[in-house]
Amino acid sequence: MTDASLLGADKAAFIAAARSNDTAQFALITERYRRELQVHCYRMLANYEDAQDMTQETFLRAWNKRESFKGHAALRTWLYRIATNACLDFLEKRNDRTPVPAELPDAGSEVHYLQPYPDRMLPEDPQESVVARETIELAFIVAVQHLPPRQRAVFILRDVLGWPASKAADALELTVASVTSALQRARVTMREQLPDRRLDWRSPDTYELSDDERGVVKSYMDAHERSDLDGLMALLRDDLRFAMLPDPGTVIVTAKDAVDGWVSNGLFQRGKDDWRCIATTVNRMPAAALYLRTPDDPEYRLFTIAVLHIVDGKVAELTGFDATDKPWLSLPATL
């Protein structure tokens, strides 16, 4: 069955399920859109758990509004419209879901609620525009958060998903002129927020890690496990951008200052010097899950996940996340 006929069958089956109040059939049809809708909500909200909640809210709203679906638009379009507005309603109620000024000079602003997105939860179809690496990496997600919510929605619908202006305007109940104006402003902000070395978000999609990235991750993990501070320093750029979330304090430091800071906070000192690492990926980025064993513990316990942006064989950005109590990362709790 072709994609077009599958979508047509989905539409007809959805209408039949809505008219007959068949909750099981309704859930079966909508469930196949869950992963792409969740990625959409994540781009809007930058938080995996919020995205999960808003995806579930989307399905609830879709059920409650099922009789309003007449089949004039594609079912996917209708669900995206509901998901977008669910996220906008969420943002309107939460005053803690916008970037805040950084505590340190020259660090700009910070997104304390940012969470990593596990690659295993991305849509399985590699051709889907929603999984393009350039538009799921952390820097892109953070940049999007600097857009006002409705402008953010316009940008994602137009430049990420490729919707025409008329379709985006209909989804957001705006005029085409308003959508065009919002998109122009959003593009200016995105260019200001993204570091110069980042890829153009409309460039050809890439999906896989390079051999260079895999090699740097392996070296990073080896140096960590050996407490090889010189080796760690050699892997970091001298304009390293470092953040440890959800703690405030994104900083741009030299490689030596970064390592000295970790040591001054107790890492690689007695009691915090027995590490094991697992290579993984989140947000289609290379990452290392770090496990620490304390002297009185027979097991290595999950500590943090370090997400790396690698440029020319060195770590240009290192974003650390507290990895405990996050089963959705699918990392073993102990080694």
Side-chain angles (χ1 to χ4, degrees):
M1 182 178 289
T2 65
D3 289 345
S5 58
L6 180 60
L7 292 174
D10 262 4
K11 187 185 295 186
F14 182 90
I15 292 173
R19 289 176 177 171
S20 63
N21 292 326
D22 186 341
T23 56
Q25 182 66 9
F26 176 92
L28 182 65
I29 296 166
T30 55
E31 184 63 26
R32 68 187 56 164
Y33 298 97
R34 178 180 293 275
R35 289 194 176 191
E36 61 181 280
L37 289 170
Q38 188 162 298
V39 172
H40 178 59
C41 292
Y42 175 73
R43 283 200 183 95
M44 287 287 296
L45 305 174
N47 183 283
Y48 181 82
E49 290 165 318
D50 289 345
Q52 280 187 312
D53 291 345
M54 287 304 100
T55 303
Q56 199 57 41
E57 173 68 13
T58 296
F59 291 146
L60 177 61
R61 291 188 183 193
W63 173 254
N64 291 336
K65 297 178 179 180
R66 61 192 182 279
E67 293 182 359
S68 70
F69 181 74
K70 305 300 183 184
H72 302 309
L75 177 58
R76 173 184 275 121
T77 300
W78 188 70
L79 291 172
Y80 267 95
R81 174 177 184 161
I82 294 174
T84 302
N85 284 286
C87 291
L88 290 173
D89 290 344
F90 173 87
L91 291 169
E92 186 177 353
K93 296 174 184 176
R94 297 290 295 266
N95 57 12
D96 63 340
R97 287 297 184 266
T98 55
V100 298
E103 295 187 358
L104 298 175
D106 302 323
S109 55
E110 300 173 336
V111 179
H112 293 164
Y113 52 89
L114 177 69
Q115 290 181 336
Y117 199 99
D119 282 11
R120 67 178 181 85
M121 291 304 298
L122 291 170
E124 296 176 355
D125 184 353
Q127 299 305 313
E128 289 283 1
S129 62
V130 296
V131 299
R133 180 174 177 181
E134 291 83 357
T135 62
I136 198 67
E137 287 186 334
L138 291 177
F140 185 90
I141 297 299
V142 168
V144 169
Q145 299 305 297
H146 288 81
L147 302 175
R150 198 159 295 273
Q151 199 178 108
R152 188 183 312 175
V154 168
F155 175 77
I156 293 171
L157 293 176
R158 292 281 285 115
D159 267 9
V160 177
L161 298 180
W163 285 21
S166 59
K167 188 174 173 181
D170 181 62
L172 298 171
E173 298 182 347
L174 297 171
T175 65
V176 171
S178 296
V179 164
T180 300
S181 176
L183 180 60
Q184 290 172 345
R185 295 195 302 273
R187 286 173 175 170
V188 170
T189 300
M190 290 295 289
R191 288 298 186 193
E192 291 172 348
Q193 291 297 326
L194 285 172
D196 291 341
R197 63 177 177 269
R198 304 303 294 197
L199 297 175
D200 190 315
W201 61 84
R202 287 166 292 172
S203 65
D205 301 339
T206 55
Y207 304 99
E208 302 299 330
L209 300 186
S210 67
D211 291 340
D212 187 41
E213 288 174 312
R214 296 181 192 280
V216 172
V217 173
K218 184 178 185 305
S219 297
Y220 175 86
M221 294 192 302
D222 289 345
H224 220 283
E225 291 181 352
R226 297 196 314 270
S227 294
D228 179 2
L229 303 185
D230 289 337
L232 276 176
M233 256 186 283
L235 292 170
L236 307 177
R237 282 174 57 129
D238 265 349
D239 58 347
L240 174 73
R241 186 175 180 87
F242 170 71
M244 181 66 208
L245 298 174
D247 298 333
T250 298
V251 292
I252 300 174
V253 292
T254 66
K256 184 178 186 308
D257 286 343
V259 174
D260 287 348
W262 297 336
V263 172
S264 68
N265 285 322
L267 299 184
F268 306 107
Q269 302 296 305
R270 182 173 177 81
K272 285 189 175 182
D273 59 347
D274 192 358
W275 299 92
R276 290 293 180 270
C277 306
I278 295 177
T280 186
T281 57
V282 295
N283 295 74
R284 292 204 178 278
M285 300 176 70
L290 310 181
Y291 290 75
L292 176 66
R293 187 174 74 85
T294 55
D296 58 348
D297 194 336
E299 295 183 303
Y300 291 87
R301 299 189 180 277
L302 183 58
F303 187 67
T304 61
I305 182 169
V307 185
L308 312 177
H309 176 60
I310 297 166
V311 177
D312 298 330
K314 290 201 171 187
V315 178
E317 298 170 25
L318 194 162
T319 307
F321 295 93
D322 178 1
T324 59
D325 300 319
K326 293 180 177 60
W328 41 269
L329 285 172
S330 292
L331 294 168
T334 61
L335 294 178

